Amino acid sequence: MTSSITIKAPSSTANLGPGFDVFGLAIDAFYDKVTLTKTKSGITIITDDNIPTNPENNTAGLVVKNMKKRFKIKNGIEIKIKKGVPAGFGMGSSAASAAAAAVAFDKLFSLKLDGNSLVEFAGFGEKASAGSVHYDNVAASVLGGFVIVKTNPLEVIRIEPPTNLRMCIAVPSIKVPKKKTKVSRGVIPKKINLTDSVLNISNASAIVAGFMRKDSELIGNSIKDVIVEPARQHLIPGFAKVKQNALKSGALGVTISGAGPSVIAFSKSSANLKKISQAMSRGFASKKIKCQTIICKPSKGAADKRK
Ligand code: HSE
């Protein structure tokens, strides 16, 4: 009988501009590793990283707690977490640990859950860090590729991204508030006007068509959000310049990665990705902010069996 399982889950970017809380894309920039081991009793968390070790406040801990209860598992469980996805930058860090924990739990106890159920359980972890459940990052991290999240009831649609899609991400070295996602969700308007809604729906639809047709240009050109990005951009000093620089250097579309503060540019593999990344760095430098840049591509997910 298996007593220990290790699962790797990728970083992810949520929203992709107009798809707020609906679109997610798994990206191969960083990975979290979670090892679940059966023990006699209780839930313990072991980690060298600076994250909560109380299961109630830990995204992976919450997932394990909920799954243990739901499936009436008597064993205790030790959760070993190795963070790879930097926390607080809009790259689905909490989601990656939650996704890895859900998939590992499923395998450890041979539950054979389907994708939607795995995403639903992984979502318990997100609630802890964001204050409300949203499944865009966890769905991408569990299933890989591009995902569309339908809610009530939860149904995740996965589309394999085009092979030439590339992203340049600029991660600024700025202090982020403790409950960053909660704070950045708090600045979004509660009501929107019809014209803005029409614009965002048209771009979101075109992004889906772009993934279906494997057309990176259509995806990139449609990364345009007139609702959430304008409301949040003041939280990212230098955002307008970073975006402008990336577009001038050949990026197809630029937006905030998830709740930020990372900025993500969408391109094709044939573009000069180094030039785009450097241009984004210069944008942050104009506000005296250092940043790390990462060139990445879509990733498979934690539950993906394909090599
Ligand atoms: N869709 C979410 C948001 C992702 O933008 O608030 C954050 O994790």
Side-chain angles (χ1 to χ4, degrees):
M1 200 171 73
T2 322
S3 65
S4 187
I5 290 273
T6 300
I7 294 289
K8 218 172 84 165
S11 45
S12 56
T13 186
N15 305 339
L16 289 88
F20 178 71
D21 278 1
V22 175
F23 291 168
L25 180 69
I27 47 181
D28 71 351
F30 304 104
Y31 291 84
D32 276 7
K33 231 157 95 178
V34 172
T35 303
L36 297 188
T37 306
K38 289 180 188 169
T39 60
K40 286 223 169 72
S41 65
I43 299 175
T44 47
I45 296 180
I46 297 180
T47 183
D48 291 332
D49 300 302
N50 186 19
I51 51 171
T53 51
N54 176 349
E56 295 288 335
N57 303 322
N58 178 291
T59 54
L62 279 166
V63 173
V64 167
K65 191 182 159 214
N66 277 285
M67 292 183 86
K68 192 165 143 34
K69 193 169 163 204
R70 169 71 180 74
F71 297 102
K72 300 189 170 57
I73 303 286
K74 297 273 183 294
N75 294 82
I77 297 166
E78 178 198 274
I79 310 170
K80 198 168 172 191
I81 305 169
K82 177 99 199 67
K83 292 295 297 175
V85 188
F89 289 96
M91 276 178 292
S93 181
S94 51
S97 296
V103 174
F105 195 99
D106 176 66
K107 285 211 163 48
L108 190 61
F109 294 100
S110 306
L111 302 174
K112 299 198 172 20
L113 296 173
D114 63 13
N116 287 336
S117 308
L118 288 171
V119 170
E120 200 152 16
F121 281 112
F124 281 113
E126 276 298 66
K127 195 169 182 182
S129 75
S132 57
V133 190
H134 53 98
Y135 294 97
D136 42 9
N137 288 106
V138 278
S141 218
V142 167
L143 300 174
F146 173 69
V147 292
I148 303 167
V149 177
K150 274 180 75 184
T151 43
N152 280 332
L154 180 70
E155 186 185 347
V156 184
I157 301 156
R158 180 193 189 280
I159 308 175
E160 185 62 24
T163 51
N164 68 348
L165 183 65
R166 294 291 181 279
M167 282 73 62
C168 300
I169 305 180
V171 188
S173 304
I174 56 173
K175 254 201 144 74
V176 286
K178 234 180 167 202
K179 287 269 171 192
K180 185 251 338 186
T181 303
K182 208 171 173 183
V183 171
S184 55
R185 291 176 83 81
V187 301
I188 300 168
K190 301 271 176 298
K191 287 197 171 142
I192 55 173
N193 72 47
L194 190 61
T195 320
D196 289 348
S197 161
V198 169
L199 249 168
N200 266 30
I201 291 172
S202 70
N203 281 307
S205 309
I207 289 173
V208 173
F211 277 100
M212 296 293 295
R213 292 184 186 168
K214 314 287 176 228
D215 181 344
S216 295
E217 217 147 300
L218 181 57
I219 296 167
N221 288 332
S222 312
I223 304 280
K224 289 189 189 108
D225 164 27
V226 295
I227 299 170
V228 178
E229 184 185 299
R232 279 181 168 171
Q233 63 176 23
H234 71 278
L235 300 171
I236 309 169
F239 175 79
K241 192 83 189 142
V242 174
K243 179 169 177 172
Q244 189 192 47
N245 283 3
L247 291 171
K248 268 194 192 154
S249 303
L252 297 165
V254 181
T255 192
I256 301 168
S257 181
S262 295
V263 181
I264 184 164
F266 289 79
S267 303
K268 293 198 294 188
S269 49
S270 55
N272 189 338
L273 302 167
K274 226 173 161 177
K275 186 176 165 195
I276 296 169
S277 304
Q278 285 165 351
M280 294 172 88
S281 280
R282 278 198 306 279
F284 275 121
S286 73
K287 293 278 177 200
K288 303 206 174 359
I289 294 168
K290 287 202 175 73
C291 78
Q292 180 194 0
T293 54
I294 303 142
I295 294 171
C296 52
K297 55 183 193 306
S299 170
K300 60 178 196 158
D304 203 329
K305 285 174 200 70
R306 286 166 299 178
K307 288 285 162 214

